[in-house]
Amino acid sequence: MSRQESFSAIYQRASDRKGGDEGLESLLEVTLSVDEIGEYNDAQLLSEMSKKVFQSGFVWRIVENKWPAYEKAFFGFEPMKVLMLSPEQLHDRASDVTLIRHMKKTMAIYDNALMIQDIAREHGSLAEYIANWPGEDIIGLWAQLKRRGTRLGGNTGPYFLRAMGKDTFLLTSDVQAYMKAHKLVDFGFSSKSGLKQVQAVFNTWQQESGRSLANISRILACGVGDNRV
């Protein structure tokens, strides 16, 4: 592995590309506190999680436009109400022309409602579970979402966490390209060993800069490639 580049150098390169520090800082987002994340209810989390599942590999704008219809079709995403849907009712929703006709993603709503209930029984609520997960092992939370949920692997789980304000980096194509170019990983990005290496790199940058993982990820992406943040 090569020597890790300092975050100050990464920041300066991104700043130069974005017209200075002010321009770069305007692109950064604020993550929520533990208490703020803990205030989410189960329905809000299931809705956002389901939206990210449908947006994966699809046009995000179309999903956004259809989401009010999903809120109505799935009873505001209240997990208990979702779990009362019969297989026939789920099949009807998966073939509804006002929604998106995708059986596996529709079934993921049901499966993830079940996951949310299971975690709530174990930890009080999914919101509390996520809020208290340590950032220095955010890949561990990714793994839990992938293992316990449905269709939450890859970047889907991290995009869900980012949407709800949980501090996480994202492995966009630009971030992955940077890691490969600088030889910071020896394994694939979907492997446990590769993800541990990426986590360690981000932890080092966080200790150096005092910034959130989300902002480090975005600043890194702004300095390379096509700026997929």
Side-chain angles (χ1 to χ4, degrees):
M1 291 173 65
S2 66
R3 185 172 182 272
Q4 184 171 340
E5 188 178 23
S6 71
F7 185 74
S8 59
I10 292 169
Y11 184 93
Q12 187 59 55
R13 183 167 56 248
S15 175
D16 291 343
R17 291 189 68 179
K18 295 303 176 184
D21 293 358
E22 185 175 350
L24 178 59
E25 293 292 337
S26 70
L27 299 173
L28 306 183
E29 57 193 294
V30 177
T31 55
L32 301 184
S33 68
V34 170
D35 289 342
E36 287 171 327
I37 294 173
E39 291 177 359
Y40 284 112
N41 60 48
D42 291 341
Q44 290 173 310
L45 295 182
L46 182 58
S47 177
E48 190 60 48
M49 184 184 297
S50 301
K51 185 188 296 183
K52 290 296 174 280
V53 167
F54 276 92
Q55 286 176 329
S56 178
F58 201 68
V59 180
W60 284 39
R61 176 179 49 80
I62 293 176
V63 178
E64 286 283 359
N65 290 341
K66 286 183 176 286
W67 213 248
Y70 271 93
E71 292 281 353
K72 182 178 179 180
F74 287 90
F75 313 111
F77 287 95
E78 291 289 345
M80 277 294 294
K81 293 181 180 179
V82 170
L83 292 174
M84 292 176 69
L85 289 168
S86 68
E88 294 75 19
Q89 289 173 315
L90 288 167
H91 186 275
D92 288 343
R93 283 158 174 76
S95 58
D96 188 336
V97 295
T98 67
L99 304 177
I100 295 170
R101 287 174 286 183
H102 197 300
M103 188 64 198
K104 290 183 178 180
K105 289 188 176 185
T106 301
M107 285 303 302
I109 298 174
Y110 183 95
D111 294 341
N112 289 329
L114 189 59
M115 174 194 68
I116 288 174
Q117 283 209 325
D118 288 344
I119 290 178
R121 280 194 292 269
E122 299 165 7
H123 301 278
S125 72
L126 177 61
E128 290 293 333
Y129 181 69
I130 290 172
N132 290 294
W133 195 280
E136 61 268 22
D137 180 38
I138 197 65
I139 61 167
L141 183 54
W142 295 6
Q144 287 297 307
L145 291 174
K146 179 181 178 180
R147 182 178 69 84
R148 302 191 63 167
T150 297
R151 304 185 77 91
L152 294 175
N155 266 333
T156 304
Y159 271 118
F160 158 66
L161 295 175
R162 176 75 70 87
M164 63 176 288
K166 177 67 176 178
D167 188 20
T168 182
F169 55 84
L170 294 175
L171 285 176
T172 64
S173 57
D174 285 335
V175 171
Q176 290 187 35
Y178 175 92
M179 294 284 173
K180 289 178 182 177
H182 289 261
K183 299 180 181 179
L184 295 173
V185 291
D186 299 314
F187 306 93
F189 291 103
S190 60
S191 70
K192 290 182 180 179
S193 297
L195 288 174
K196 284 182 179 179
Q197 289 180 321
V198 174
Q199 178 81 66
V201 169
F202 271 91
N203 287 350
T204 298
W205 282 331
Q206 186 171 53
Q207 291 164 9
E208 176 191 342
S209 67
R211 290 180 176 270
S212 67
L213 297 172
N215 283 349
I216 292 170
S217 178
R218 179 154 291 195
I219 290 166
L220 179 62
C222 283
V224 298
D226 297 322
N227 295 172
R228 296 191 179 94
V229 295

